[in-house]
């Protein structure tokens, strides 16, 4: 499933293509939304943003389209009228004079009043957004010190969007690795310094992944490997999908295991806390 950085990059592309433009037509596949087509036609797109794994397309008539891609949803931006050849199921299409934004296969689409966004059941429960431009590290650190979360295991906790919002499986594996922490550890077992270190690494890696198009590895190492002709998927991570390969820090073989139903890649020698 795409994680915060991938969703935010998709929102950026939609925003660049659609912002400020007049909507010529909106198509909804779901019958219960079709009444909104008429109301959105002729409105202007104010902006397209992301919150955690949701995309919000805001219009100047006070309405916002909320969409959550889940596992299979996919946005495509194309010149007007050039429908792609694919077998996916079109769920939403926003047309402007020169472009169209098409959303395929997503099952969660809603139209809500922009003024009610903060009351949306998914949005209102989200923890601090790691990719919010105005995020403050102190806000993230405070979350890690919040006793409500101390009984949780790190592997599931870091991916819980109600704790902090933006991380999924690969970011969790990578942040635990550079923090030298085991996925089974409970937040309560970390001391103050360790909680701060983990909070900073979660923020750092999520923002780095957003800025670099998905690289969490040390930038200088990734760049070196790229120059040597290493494929992107093989140089972007410290441990994710690198089982059997040597840890960059200690050369121990990376392992792949399941913790609490979630796959985790880790270095058994480095991640002992
Ligand atoms: Zn190691």
């Amino acid at each position: 499933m795409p994680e915060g950085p991938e969703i935010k990059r998709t929102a950026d592309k939609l925003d660049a293509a659609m912002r400020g433009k007049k909507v010529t037509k909106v198509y909804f596949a779901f019958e219960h939304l079709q009444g909104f087509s008429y109301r959105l036609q002729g409105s202007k797109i104010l902006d397209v943003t992301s919150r955690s794994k949701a995309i919000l397309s805001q219009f100047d008539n006070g309405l916002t389209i909320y969409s959550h891609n889940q596992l299979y949803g996919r946005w495509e931006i194309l010149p007007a009228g050039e429908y792609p050849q694919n077998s996916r199921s079109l769920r939403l299409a926003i047309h402007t004079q020169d472009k169209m934004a098409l959303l395929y296969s997503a099952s969660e689409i809603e139209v809500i009043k922009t003024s009610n966004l903060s009351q949306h059941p998914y949005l209102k429960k989200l923890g601090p957004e790691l990719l919010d431009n105005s995020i403050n590290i102190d806000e993230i650190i405070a979350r890690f010190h919040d006793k409500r979360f101390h009984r949780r295991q790190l592997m599931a906790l870091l991916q819980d969007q109600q704790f902090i919002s933006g991380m999924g499986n690969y970011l969790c594996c990578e942040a635990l690795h550079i923090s030298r922490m085991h996925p089974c550890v409970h937040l309560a077992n970390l001391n103050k310094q360790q909680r701060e270190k983990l909070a900073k690494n979660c923020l750092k890696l999520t923002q780095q992944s957003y800025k670099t198009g998905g690289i969490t590895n040390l930038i200088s190492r990734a760049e070196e490997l790229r120059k040597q002709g290493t494929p992107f998927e093989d140089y972007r991570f410290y441990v994710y999908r690198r089982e059997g390969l040597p840890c960059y820090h200690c050369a121990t073989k990376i392992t792949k295991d399941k913790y609490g139903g979630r796959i985790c890649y880790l270095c058994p020698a480095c991640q002992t806390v």
Side-chain angles (χ1 to χ4, degrees), residues 130-172:
L130 297 172
L131 291 169
D132 186 328
N133 295 334
S134 60
I135 191 72
N136 182 331
I137 182 64
D138 293 336
E139 199 183 330
I140 305 293
I141 289 172
R143 205 73 173 161
F144 281 73
H145 290 324
D146 188 332
K147 289 208 161 55
R148 281 181 297 161
F149 301 103
H150 280 197
R151 293 175 68 183
R152 307 272 307 275
Q153 279 190 339
L154 298 182
M155 187 68 194
L157 181 64
L158 298 185
Q159 295 178 62
D160 181 347
Q161 305 301 298
Q162 298 183 21
F163 174 58
I164 46 172
S165 134
M167 290 175 62
N169 197 253
Y170 83 79
L171 283 166
C172 178

Side-chain angles (χ1 to χ4, degrees), residues 4 8 16 19 30 66 71 78 83 100 102 113 120 146 171 179 194 209 214 226 240 247 264:
K8 189 170 167 72
R19 180 194 276 255
F30 299 125
Y66 164 97
L71 211 46
L78 292 161
Y83 278 95
M100 50 187 200
L102 310 174
K113 271 190 185 170
H120 185 273
D146 188 332
L171 283 166
S179 306
Q194 288 168 327
S209 177
R226 189 188 65 78
Y240 192 74
C247 167
C264 185

